[in-house]
């Protein structure tokens, strides 16, 4: 115990004496956060509307995707605050409580999003690989229960954020908010848990379920070659974006956790690792902008729903301007928007939505 406390004290003292290159990441992060917000906020708003329509039809996958979009939108909502913080040279001008609440929402929703991605993949796996049993397993009450458990567990696990020294901006002369300069035993244990539970296990779930989906789709006689290619590209895109967005950040978390056990580690280690850490944290935000595009807006049936909504809106506006009856036939709508023709519950819809 004494050795552990000495290691913790030395690590914290060493890290506090390090002068980290806070300005190196300023421009790339501001550009990245700006692009992610411009793309992600409207994409998630549209997705919330579309998936809400699916939830009204008792679509289980639609509920998971709705929850994912709400989570991603809350996550993206913290980016302007972080952008202001970075713009001011990594100085937090609000209260310590505001820093902790912003950090809590940011990290909380990152991992809720990751676990909901697992829920989406598992739900697809059940629907495709175990289609005969899926009616009993894929029920709205189970989706609500699973999502509630994910949100509650992740929220409870992130409560230590409110006790961490990294969020004490008012007692810190440099006013840093959750910068990686301070290393304690709590932060180190937190980093280990985030790597194993928040990244490695979800990655394994995504790989296993999507691999099984690809195998079933490849052997299916009911799908055309074009449909199989679409599914393959979608699965590869989901895995690729997960790896690109979350692997660098969690690898660096693991390195930081391991380095805590070396009390005599040089300050150059923290300095060299800071810019990659900061950029990798920025990369993790891209996932929240890409989720609605990969899972909803790229779906053929969802594009038809958007087209249908636009046609109905334009038709109603046109009728009001003409002061005529606000009625249009199904044939007229289909001529304006060919995608309106009902696709039914095809196997493609089952896999792609």
């Amino acid at each position: 115990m004494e050795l552990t406390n000495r290691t913790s004290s030395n690590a914290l003292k060493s890290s506090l004496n390090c002068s980290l290159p806070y300005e190196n990441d300023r421009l790339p992060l501001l550009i990245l956060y700006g692009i992610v917000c411009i793309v992600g906020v409207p994409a998630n708003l549209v997705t919330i509307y579309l998936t809400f329509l699916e939830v009204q039809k008792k679509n289980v996958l639609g509920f998971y995707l709705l929850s994912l979009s709400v989570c991603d939108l809350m996550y993206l909502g913290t980016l302007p605050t972080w952008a202001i913080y970075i713009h001011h040279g990594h100085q937090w001008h609000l209260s310590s409580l505001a820093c902790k609440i912003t950090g809590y929402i940011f990290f909380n929703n990152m991992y809720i999003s990751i676990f909901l991605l697992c829920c989406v993949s598992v739900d697809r796996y059940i629907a495709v690989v175990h289609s005969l049993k899926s009616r009993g397993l894929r029920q709205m009450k189970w989706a609500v229960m699973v999502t509630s458990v994910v949100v509650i567990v992740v929220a409870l696990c992130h409560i230590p954020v409110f006790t961490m020294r990294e969020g004490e901006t008012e007692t810190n002369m440099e006013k840093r908010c959750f910068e990686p300069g301070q290393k304690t035993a709590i932060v180190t244990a937190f980093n280990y848990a985030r790597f194993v539970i928040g990244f490695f296990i979800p990655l394994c779930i995504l790989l296993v379920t999507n691999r099984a989906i690809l195998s079933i789709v490849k052997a299916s006689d009911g799908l055309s070659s074009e449909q199989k290619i679409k599914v393959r590209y979608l699965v590869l895109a989901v895995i690729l974006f997960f790896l690109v967005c979350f692997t660098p950040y969690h690898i660096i978390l693991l390195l930081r956790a391991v380095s805590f056990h070396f009390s005599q580690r040089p300050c150059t280690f923290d300095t060299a690792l800071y810019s990659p850490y900061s950029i990798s944290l920025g990369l993790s935000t891209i996932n929240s902008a890409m989720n609605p595009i990969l899972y909803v807006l790229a779906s053929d049936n969802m594009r038809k729903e958007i087209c249908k909504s636009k046609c109905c809106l334009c038709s109603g506006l046109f009728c009001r301007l003409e002061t005529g009856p606000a009625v249009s036939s199904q044939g007229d709508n289909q001529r304006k928007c060919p995608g309106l023709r009902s696709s039914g519950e095809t196997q493609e819809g089952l896999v792609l939505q």
Side-chain angles (χ1 to χ4, degrees):
M1 177 66 71
E2 183 180 352
L3 179 60
T4 302
N5 291 335
R6 191 184 303 118
T7 301
S8 176
S9 176
N10 291 338
L12 178 60
K13 190 180 298 183
S14 174
S15 61
L16 289 174
N17 292 331
C18 287
S19 179
L20 301 178
Y22 294 111
E23 291 296 325
N24 289 356
D25 60 1
R26 179 176 174 273
L27 184 59
L29 281 182
L30 289 177
I31 293 174
L32 180 60
Y33 286 169
I35 294 173
V36 169
C37 281
I38 290 172
V39 175
V41 171
N44 277 288
L45 286 173
V46 172
T47 299
I48 288 173
Y49 167 72
L50 293 173
T51 51
F52 179 73
L53 297 178
E54 293 300 313
V55 171
Q56 289 182 318
K57 302 173 187 176
K58 305 299 181 182
N59 187 321
V60 173
L61 185 53
F63 179 80
Y64 285 127
L65 293 174
L66 173 62
S67 304
L68 180 63
S69 290
V70 171
C71 171
D72 286 340
L73 198 59
M74 292 179 63
Y75 182 68
L76 293 173
T78 65
L79 293 189
T81 307
W82 292 123
I84 294 172
Y85 168 69
I86 293 167
H87 178 69
H88 288 292
H90 290 250
Q91 290 190 343
W92 189 265
H93 295 297
L94 301 176
S95 65
S96 294
L97 181 60
C99 166
K100 291 178 180 180
I101 291 175
T102 304
Y104 180 78
I105 294 173
F106 182 82
F107 293 109
N108 202 36
N109 283 281
M110 175 194 291
Y111 290 100
I112 291 175
S113 177
I114 288 175
F115 290 126
L116 286 177
L117 288 175
C118 292
C119 292
V120 170
S121 289
V122 171
D123 185 73
R124 278 176 160 173
Y125 169 81
I126 294 172
V128 176
V129 180
H130 301 286
S131 56
L132 296 178
K133 301 177 182 178
S134 63
R135 287 189 178 183
L137 296 174
R138 301 179 70 240
Q139 296 183 16
M140 187 62 72
K141 64 178 181 180
W142 292 114
V144 173
M145 189 180 301
V146 169
T147 302
S148 299
V149 169
V150 166
V151 171
I152 291 171
V153 170
V154 174
L156 290 176
C157 289
H158 280 83
I159 286 180
V161 165
F162 291 98
T163 65
M164 291 180 179
R165 297 182 185 180
E166 291 179 319
E168 297 292 341
T169 59
E170 294 174 355
T171 58
N172 183 356
M173 299 219 22
E174 294 184 330
K175 295 187 178 296
R176 309 298 185 195
C177 179
F178 289 104
E179 296 288 356
Q182 300 178 4
K183 293 186 179 180
T184 63
I186 295 177
V187 174
T188 300
F190 210 54
N191 288 343
Y192 278 127
R194 286 198 286 176
F195 177 83
V196 176
I197 302 173
F199 169 72
F200 183 72
I201 293 176
L203 176 61
C204 292
I205 293 174
L206 288 176
L207 290 174
V208 171
T209 53
N210 282 282
R211 179 69 183 87
I213 290 172
L214 274 181
S215 299
I216 294 296
V217 169
K218 184 178 180 181
S220 174
D221 295 327
L223 294 175
S224 66
S225 298
E226 182 181 355
Q227 290 171 335
K228 291 180 180 181
I229 291 173
K230 283 184 179 180
V231 175
R232 188 183 308 125
Y233 283 153
L234 176 62
V235 168
L236 291 176
V238 167
I239 299 298
L240 178 63
F241 274 105
F242 188 89
L243 290 173
V244 170
C245 293
F246 296 118
T247 302
Y249 174 66
H250 286 90
I251 290 295
I252 293 175
L253 282 186
L254 181 61
L255 291 175
R256 286 180 57 203
V258 171
S259 70
F260 171 79
H261 303 288
F262 299 92
S263 59
Q264 301 299 325
R265 73 180 186 281
C267 187
T268 53
F269 177 84
D270 292 326
T271 304
L273 208 61
Y274 176 76
S275 291
Y277 165 83
S278 188
I279 297 298
S280 67
L281 184 59
L283 284 176
S284 68
T285 63
I286 297 176
N287 190 71
S288 294
M290 292 306 301
N291 283 336
I293 297 173
L294 287 177
Y295 287 98
V296 178
L297 301 183
S299 166
D300 289 340
N301 287 346
M302 286 302 182
R303 286 200 299 269
K304 292 171 186 175
E305 190 67 37
I306 295 173
C307 190
K308 179 179 179 180
S309 300
K310 288 171 62 179
C311 287
C312 290
L313 179 63
C314 293
S315 176
L317 179 61
F318 178 77
C319 290
R320 286 195 297 271
L321 292 175
E322 290 281 320
T323 63
V327 177
S328 62
S329 68
Q330 184 178 2
D332 290 338
N333 280 337
Q334 286 185 351
R335 282 192 294 271
K336 294 175 187 175
C337 187
L340 277 177
R341 190 171 290 108
S342 176
S343 61
E345 295 194 11
T346 61
Q347 286 176 289
E348 179 188 10
L350 183 62
V351 177
L352 290 178
Q353 288 191 18

